Amino acid sequence: QVQLVESGGGLVQAGGSLRLSCTASGNIDSINRLGWYRQAPGKQRELVATITVNDITNYSDSVKGRFTISRGTAKNTVSLQMNSLKPEDTAVYYCKADRQMGTLIIGPGYWGQGTQVTVSS
């Protein structure tokens, strides 16, 4: 089992910045990819960005050039720096940990409890 704890959400005006952090604990040797997903009211949960233990990153088109995902010096932490925020970025942001083999994600992964990000216009 892997436990994930997120922090850093909040309320910000459009154009502002926020930084989200996530720390994994437990059987962290079983995971090799960390990422952020978000879910806005009435919408499906969607990928925001992921990063592997080899620092390979992947971003959704909607956040490319504005958001940056990074790992801490300890492999069990991941951050999401969000700049130039837009009202449409408003959502609950979830940290997720996965085991990836090649292009395949093994199993359902592990989810954090989520942190609210609200961007006012």
Side-chain angles (χ1 to χ4, degrees), residues 15 32 36 44 56 70 76-77 107 110 112:
N32 59 3
W36 291 94
Q44 288 190 329
I56 298 172
S70 60
N76 64 326
T77 62
Y110 303 92

Side-chain angles (χ1 to χ4, degrees), residues 37-85:
Y37 292 70
R38 68 186 181 186
Q39 188 166 18
K43 295 188 176 182
Q44 288 190 329
R45 193 171 296 187
E46 63 176 2
L47 179 146
V48 176
T50 60
I51 186 167
T52 70
V53 292
N54 298 317
D55 290 330
I56 298 172
T57 59
N58 180 49
Y59 294 92
S60 72
D61 289 341
S62 62
V63 306
K64 278 181 183 176
R66 300 189 297 122
F67 292 10
T68 302
I69 190 169
S70 60
R71 292 190 306 117
T73 52
K75 76 170 195 178
N76 64 326
T77 62
V78 63
S79 296
L80 185 69
Q81 178 66 42
M82 305 185 293
N83 299 329
S84 302
L85 282 160

